[in-house]
Amino acid sequence: MAGIPTTLKGRSFTRISSWSPDELRAVLDLADELKAERARRRELRVLPGRTIGLIFHKPSTRTRVAFEVGIAELGGMALFLPASELQLARGESYRDTAIVLSRLLSALMIRTFDQDEVEEFAEHASIPVINGLTDTAHPLQALADAMTLRERFGSLAGLRLAYVGDGNNVCHSLLRMGARFGMHVVVATPPGYEPDAHVVEGATRDAAASGGSVALVQDPREAVVGAHAVYTDVWASMGQEGERERRLRDLAPYRVDDALLALADRDAVAMHCLPAHVGEEITAEVLYGPRCLAWEQAENRLHTQKALMALVIR
Ligand code: CP
Ligand code: NVA
């Protein structure tokens, strides 16, 4: 494979909107190559002697395992840092933690609640800081989703994606990613569950430049007509457990089932970032059916996270 570009060394990845379409494309292109190399059982040990810290304030299966496996495959070492075990839990500031960890690590991933905490980390760290999910963004997921869509459809521009359900963190990053790549993204939510207005505004601006579009509707059937991909996510995200009953009630008409999928394009795929609550936002028929790309999305977390690390870590 060709050499790894050096232009992104040192960069943090806290949100999709701070990376240009070309920069995002560089991650996707390298991820494709790394996937092919891995299939040939070829190793690319570009992170020898590097230690990457992984701070988790919330549970994780895919993000954590994809990082730990990916770092090992690149020849580095992963350090799992549950937030409850750090001095952060006893009030040490993000600023001080970022300065100290920058002296010890080569990069840092953080999964937390408030996006501002990730931004504060990135501001004070002298190493790349990667957002592993916040209440308002999940940019790593959007990278894997873009890779998965590109694999299936060849390119992203012009693709129609319907996101159905809760206008949450996954929806936000998907909107920003889709808009940057000229996709037509329609989001269907009940009133009160729409994605944040500033995310929609930013995505709308990007879509105007890329030839894509962004639309919000309430009727899930209207959203999926002509869609190439129908995407959903849980109705109660991590941290929203107390609102679960209300959310289940309000979002019940937004379940992705075979009947809804039948209204989409003939070759439409179903997508889910996982973990899924089967029988809530997605039926078993769809999740385990032949049109579902959720398992591919999960695998592509590995390839995209490896590509990102290989590009940003010095
Ligand atoms: N999709 C995703 O981020 O999964 P985990 O919560 O298991 O990391
Ligand atoms: N919206 C979900 C995504 C989990 C990967 C959550 O934040 O819990």
Side-chain angles (χ1 to χ4, degrees):
M1 59 179 280
I4 295 179
T6 54
T7 48
L8 291 164
K9 292 288 177 204
R11 281 282 292 277
S12 285
F13 183 69
T14 63
R15 49 177 72 221
I16 298 294
S17 56
S18 52
W19 281 49
S20 72
D22 280 346
E23 290 167 345
L24 294 167
R25 201 171 291 113
V27 182
L28 301 180
D29 289 347
L30 182 57
D32 285 344
E33 289 190 55
L34 291 177
K35 187 170 185 173
E37 294 289 305
R38 189 175 190 259
R40 293 185 206 107
R41 295 199 166 270
R42 287 215 201 114
E43 287 178 351
L44 195 79
R45 302 179 81 78
V46 294
L47 298 180
R50 314 296 205 287
T51 303
I52 293 98
L54 308 171
I55 298 181
F56 284 93
H57 281 271
K58 295 175 175 173
S60 169
T61 297
R62 280 143 288 270
T63 306
R64 178 181 172 183
V65 175
F67 268 117
E68 293 202 11
V69 170
I71 291 164
E73 290 183 5
L74 295 175
M77 198 183 97
L79 200 57
F80 175 57
L81 300 168
S84 59
E85 304 289 316
L86 296 175
Q87 294 287 9
L88 271 175
R90 295 180 59 253
E92 187 170 21
S93 70
Y94 275 85
R95 181 180 186 160
D96 293 1
T97 308
I99 296 171
V100 170
L101 293 183
S102 295
R103 303 279 184 116
L104 304 172
L105 301 169
S106 296
L108 183 66
M109 185 236 71
I110 175 159
R111 166 172 288 198
T112 189
F113 294 88
D114 192 340
Q115 177 75 19
D116 288 345
E117 294 169 5
V118 179
E119 302 295 350
E120 198 181 337
F121 245 106
E123 187 188 335
H124 296 293
S126 55
I127 53 174
V129 172
I130 297 173
N131 179 351
L133 177 145
T134 63
D135 289 347
T136 52
H138 198 359
L140 289 175
Q141 184 65 49
L143 277 179
D145 298 340
M147 177 182 184
T148 308
L149 283 165
R150 231 170 57 148
E151 277 178 334
R152 171 57 67 111
F153 295 102
S155 65
L156 297 175
L159 279 186
R160 298 187 170 277
L161 182 138
Y163 178 96
V164 176
D166 182 24
N168 61 15
N169 45 7
V170 169
C171 175
H172 285 165
S173 295
L174 206 53
L175 265 169
R176 301 294 321 228
M177 180 69 86
R180 274 213 167 341
F181 282 118
M183 291 172 56
H184 303 285
V185 185
V186 185
V187 177
T189 70
Y193 291 84
E194 295 90 353
D196 288 351
H198 77 272
V199 172
V200 176
E201 278 165 31
T204 304
R205 252 194 328 272
D206 284 353
S210 68
S213 64
V214 169
L216 304 190
V217 300
Q218 288 183 2
D219 184 351
R221 285 162 304 197
E222 183 186 341
V224 304
V225 170
H228 301 106
V230 178
Y231 200 119
T232 191
D233 183 19
V234 289
W235 291 339
S237 284
M238 292 181 276
Q240 297 175 330
E241 290 75 11
E243 303 170 12
R244 193 172 142 74
E245 292 314 312
R246 169 173 63 78
R247 291 177 157 272
L248 258 56
R249 236 184 1 259
D250 293 347
L251 285 148
Y254 291 78
R255 178 170 301 120
V256 173
D257 57 16
D258 279 336
L260 189 68
L261 214 48
L263 301 175
D265 187 72
R266 204 167 49 107
D267 298 321
V269 295
M271 299 180 78
H272 195 306
C273 60
L274 303 175
H277 285 187
V278 181
E280 292 179 16
E281 77 278 0
I282 192 165
T283 60
E285 288 73 24
V286 174
L287 184 65
Y288 304 113
R291 303 166 85 177
C292 186
L293 295 184
W295 320 107
E296 213 57 44
Q297 292 170 258
E299 182 193 322
N300 287 340
R301 294 294 303 275
L302 172 69
H303 310 301
T304 43
Q305 287 171 204
K306 280 172 74 177
L308 181 65
M309 288 188 287
L311 287 165
V312 301
I313 296 174
R314 293 186 203 276

